[in-house]
Amino acid sequence: MQARDVMVSPVITVDASATIREVAQLLLARRISAVPVVNADNKILGIVTEGDLIHRAEAGTERPYSWWLRLLTGDAQLATDYVKSHAVKVEDVMTRDVVTAAPETPLHEIAMQLEANQIKRVPIVNQYGQLIGIVSRPNLLQAIASARPKLEVSLSDASIRTRFLEELKKQSWAHTSNLNATVRNGVVDLWGFAPSVAERTAIRVAAEAIPGVVTVNDHLLETPVFVY
């Protein structure tokens, strides 16, 4: 799936002249947690999130600084925090370096962007840089929730074993020389050893994902057993 398949469109936006109060009211009224800031051509100038409005003078939630913390922080940071808590216009508090993506971006890349940048949403822009949608974490969950299971014919026991071992051979973390699997009536028994709990879990998951597998019995050990 691509970004275009799950993005929300049209996007609720504001212009840079909007006030902080107007944005706060908009977030509450529309039940959203962020709003992109755009110019007259619908190109992104920035984005304002709930996090940008946490420390505000109106609510008495400005960031507190002790005298020693003021010495360590420096005047530039103190001035920046003052702007965040006292500014009237959106353009003074918005995040300007916005991570964006194209509508053709695969969802796995969107997920990586969210994780790498520790953000909750990615605006989607066209080839002209104009905002056409937005993908948030809930949109990815919606894609998972609405996914239809693949229609696959259950495999024979021999085919299950073959596919399982072939899948593991593709994975750099799976040491197939240390593993064996037997399959009878769709029941997979795993034998051998795996160096860690994470690898044991991954091996079991690989087996469970194969069509026709009824259950998986994990007999794997975390340390090798040597037989002489």
Side-chain angles (χ1 to χ4, degrees):
M1 298 181 72
Q2 299 178 334
R4 66 166 77 252
D5 299 316
V6 301
M7 70 182 188
V8 174
S9 180
V11 184
I12 299 169
T13 63
V14 296
D15 60 50
S17 64
T19 66
I20 299 299
R21 183 170 181 271
E22 289 170 342
V23 169
Q25 291 174 335
L26 180 63
L27 295 179
L28 290 173
R30 295 302 186 95
R31 297 183 180 182
I32 54 179
S33 59
V35 59
V37 183
V38 298
N39 62 16
D41 295 324
N42 206 37
K43 293 185 178 180
I44 293 184
L45 301 176
I47 191 167
V48 179
T49 71
E50 291 175 329
D52 294 318
L53 306 181
I54 289 178
H55 299 291
R56 291 293 301 177
E58 300 94 325
T61 55
E62 304 101 313
R63 196 184 301 276
Y65 284 100
S66 59
W67 65 269
W68 58 269
L69 192 56
R70 288 179 180 274
L71 292 177
L72 295 175
T73 301
D75 291 343
Q77 184 59 53
L78 292 174
T80 298
D81 288 346
Y82 182 87
V83 171
K84 280 279 189 180
S85 61
H86 289 79
V88 175
K89 297 293 181 64
V90 163
E91 60 183 344
D92 292 318
V93 302
M94 68 183 184
T95 298
R96 295 179 181 273
D97 296 326
V98 183
V99 176
T100 63
E104 301 81 15
T105 305
L107 287 191
H108 71 86
E109 291 186 15
I110 297 290
M112 294 295 291
Q113 287 181 319
L114 294 174
E115 184 178 37
N117 295 285
Q118 297 184 335
I119 53 179
K120 296 181 179 180
R121 62 202 61 80
V122 174
I124 308 302
V125 298
N126 61 20
Q127 65 269 37
Y128 305 109
Q130 296 170 314
L131 179 66
I132 60 172
I134 195 165
V135 175
S136 64
R137 292 182 181 184
N139 299 139
L140 298 185
L141 295 180
Q142 291 160 4
I144 296 171
S146 60
R148 299 291 184 268
K150 296 180 180 178
L151 297 177
E152 295 191 62
V153 178
S154 294
L155 303 175
S156 65
D157 288 346
S159 296
I160 288 174
R161 184 176 187 275
T162 299
R163 182 177 293 194
F164 169 63
L165 294 177
E166 287 178 347
E167 174 62 23
L168 290 186
K169 287 177 182 177
K170 299 175 186 176
Q171 311 305 322
S172 60
W173 49 262
H175 307 286
T176 52
S177 60
N178 301 328
L179 302 172
N180 192 20
T182 57
V183 185
R184 184 177 178 82
N185 297 325
V187 177
V188 180
D189 286 274
L190 302 175
W191 306 94
F193 71 92
S196 67
V197 174
E199 289 168 66
R200 284 184 65 177
T201 301
I203 292 166
R204 173 180 55 78
V205 167
E208 290 175 339
I210 298 173
V213 171
V214 177
T215 189
V216 177
N217 298 321
D218 181 0
H219 308 290
L220 295 172
L221 301 174
E222 290 183 24
T223 54
V225 175
F226 296 99
V227 179
Y228 296 93

